[in-house]
Amino acid sequence: MNRLTLPTGGSPAGYSGRAGTPVRQDTASAVFEDARSSPSFGRLRRSQRTFATLATIAVLSLYLLYVLLSSYAPGVVDARVAGRLNVAFFLGLAQFGATFLTAWLYTRHADRRRDPVAEQVRQDIERVLAAGPHGPGQAAGVSA
């Protein structure tokens, strides 16, 4: 299991991660590199990539279907559904629906799956930064 560790040396005040408080660049970089290699951060990135890839494929597929049917099957898209409304009209409306559905699914996904993991990663980083240096050969470790 990877552990977030704080490089030794320097003063504890220089290691605070709070807004407006300076963080030594070498320390911040080292802590971020440790956090980035943690399993939690890996899960966070995989979750984002998976959702973004699947959502992009789904929305682009619907759009491509609309374009291809309009170009190569005009008889299908010209078919009347209700009164003067045809298939093309409803496929066009489906683009808006897909956009709103994707936004809603993303928010739901982020709230349930990504935000808790991101919060844990943030807390781990802040805990390491707040711990300060512990002398040569010692480091404050936080399981990720």
Side-chain angles (χ1 to χ4, degrees):
M1 181 168 289
N2 290 339
R3 297 176 61 79
L4 297 177
T5 57
L6 181 67
T8 58
S11 68
Y15 291 99
S16 176
R18 302 276 180 224
T21 304
V23 175
R24 283 190 21 199
Q25 184 61 35
D26 59 334
T27 301
S29 296
V31 171
F32 177 73
E33 287 300 320
D34 283 347
R36 196 171 85 173
S37 65
S38 73
S40 295
F41 196 83
R43 280 195 317 272
L44 187 63
R45 295 205 21 115
R46 268 190 310 280
S47 176
Q48 169 61 23
R49 277 194 309 265
T50 301
F51 183 87
T53 300
L54 292 175
T56 300
I57 289 170
V59 171
L60 287 178
S61 296
L62 181 61
Y63 178 73
L64 188 60
L65 174 69
Y66 179 61
V67 170
L68 290 175
L69 284 176
S70 296
S71 297
Y72 297 107
V76 173
V77 293
D78 285 342
R80 301 280 181 207
V81 175
R84 300 183 70 192
L85 302 177
N86 60 16
V87 172
F89 176 78
F90 288 104
L91 283 174
L93 285 179
Q95 300 302 312
F96 290 104
T99 300
F100 290 114
L101 179 64
T102 302
W104 176 74
L105 287 173
Y106 176 79
T107 302
R108 186 171 161 243
H109 171 77
D111 287 345
R112 292 182 179 185
R113 298 206 179 153
R114 292 184 51 233
D115 289 351
V117 177
E119 180 64 20
Q120 182 62 47
V121 170
R122 184 189 63 78
Q123 287 175 355
D124 289 347
I125 290 170
E126 285 182 354
R127 220 174 294 137
V128 169
L129 290 173
H134 294 277
Q138 295 178 338
V142 177
S143 293

